[in-house]
Amino acid sequence: MKTHTPKLIFFLALSLVTACKDNTSITPIDKSSKSVSPIQISHTFSTGAQPKNVIFVIGDGTGINQISALEFYKEHHVYYDDFPIVGLSKVSSTSLITDSAAAGTAMACGEKTFNKAIGVDAQGNDLPNLIELNEQLGGANGLIATSSITHATPACFYAHHNDRNDHEIIASFLPKSSVDFFAGPGLKYFNNREDQVNLIDTLKANGFTIETTNLKAYPEAQKVGYLLADKDMPKMLHGRGSFLIDATQMAIEH
């Protein structure tokens, strides 16, 4: 496993984390830029040490309304309140309302694009994403989702396509992607496809060990993929259990 640069691990689920509070600086940038953020943020760790891992948590579909509702529910403490920086950004190039594809592309690739776009710019050209850039630096990459691994948000971190609804096409990008570890549902887009192609075999041919029943550990495998449901993982109320916690720990240790 590559270890000399930070491992990127992406969670695509409703999750709450606390943020670092060392030395953080904020610099305004040109708002007319195609960049998705009105600020540039740099962070210096007080110890001078570099981070071992970079963990990017995405609460897909989570907005101010959901966060506020959680705060008002029995005056519940929300960990978002502990973040030193909070910002809002419009990340669709064509619509006031952003869908998961345009938002995912903005987060994965740093550029605004049209709704439904997966890892491509407003003209349909492929955009480099964080996972690909980290691989070029020698880093390892993990991707975890409770939605299908081909859903718009996770797909933006490994695929390049103009329509989020083409799940089978999106799935075909994963075998040769820069992902080293993935866990989530979406099995049917790999082994029960309209084109009759078995992408499980393709994943294995590209060095993946694939598990479709549980989070069994494969410590000797260089690349591991878990496809544990046909389309989506069960909701917490319906028995998903500790999938996110367990998969995350496995990704960190892989």
Side-chain angles (χ1 to χ4, degrees):
M1 195 58 158
K2 308 161 196 171
T3 58
H4 58 280
T5 56
K7 181 184 297 180
L8 290 180
I9 302 171
F10 298 84
F11 299 80
L12 289 307
L14 178 57
S15 303
L16 304 176
V17 296
T18 56
C20 297
K21 293 186 178 180
D22 293 312
N23 301 315
T24 304
S25 62
I26 306 173
T27 304
I29 62 173
D30 182 4
K31 292 184 180 180
S32 65
S33 168
K34 290 191 296 183
S35 169
V36 300
S37 175
I39 58 174
Q40 289 180 335
I41 301 171
S42 61
H43 182 86
T44 303
F45 289 84
S46 57
T47 62
Q50 293 299 308
K52 180 179 179 181
N53 299 309
V54 177
I55 301 177
F56 189 178
V57 184
I58 301 175
D60 198 354
T62 303
I64 293 176
N65 291 344
Q66 288 79 12
I67 296 169
S68 297
L70 184 58
E71 287 185 319
F72 289 131
Y73 177 70
K74 296 183 179 179
E75 298 184 355
H76 190 81
H77 174 70
V78 179
Y79 287 105
Y80 288 111
D81 291 339
D82 298 333
F83 289 6
I85 300 169
V86 176
L88 300 174
S89 182
K90 175 180 174 291
V91 292
S92 172
S93 64
T94 59
S95 174
L96 179 63
I97 300 173
T98 304
D99 78 340
S100 292
T105 297
M107 289 184 280
C109 307
E111 189 166 325
K112 293 182 181 181
T113 191
F114 56 93
N115 286 354
K116 292 189 177 182
I118 301 293
V120 297
D121 65 17
Q123 289 72 46
N125 302 307
D126 290 0
L127 292 168
N129 59 54
L130 289 171
I131 281 182
E132 292 165 349
L133 295 173
N134 189 54
E135 183 190 43
Q136 292 175 16
L137 296 173
N141 301 295
L143 187 63
I144 301 166
T146 55
S147 66
S148 169
I149 204 74
T150 61
H151 179 270
T153 306
C156 292
F157 290 87
Y158 67 86
H160 305 277
H161 188 58
N162 61 8
D163 191 343
R164 60 177 289 179
N165 297 311
D166 293 334
H167 289 271
E168 293 191 1
I169 294 175
I170 291 168
S172 68
F173 282 89
L174 191 53
K176 295 185 178 181
S177 71
S178 300
V179 176
D180 301 290
F181 177 103
F182 68 86
L187 177 61
K188 71 175 187 176
Y189 302 119
F190 294 83
N191 71 348
N192 189 22
R193 298 164 54 88
E194 292 183 4
D195 61 9
Q196 303 301 309
V197 173
N198 189 332
L199 284 185
I200 298 297
D201 291 340
T202 308
L203 283 162
K204 292 178 179 178
N206 282 274
F208 278 94
T209 297
I210 300 298
E211 175 62 54
T212 61
T213 57
N214 56 55
L215 287 174
K216 177 182 177 181
Y218 292 92
E220 302 302 320
Q222 288 295 307
K223 297 195 290 186
V224 183
Y226 297 88
L227 292 166
L228 302 181
D230 267 351
K231 186 177 180 182
D232 297 302
M233 295 297 291
K235 298 182 184 299
M236 286 296 293
L237 291 176
H238 299 152
R240 187 172 74 219
S242 59
F243 164 76
L244 268 181
I245 296 172
D246 297 341
T248 301
Q249 189 62 43
M250 293 177 72
I252 292 172
E253 294 174 353
H254 182 68

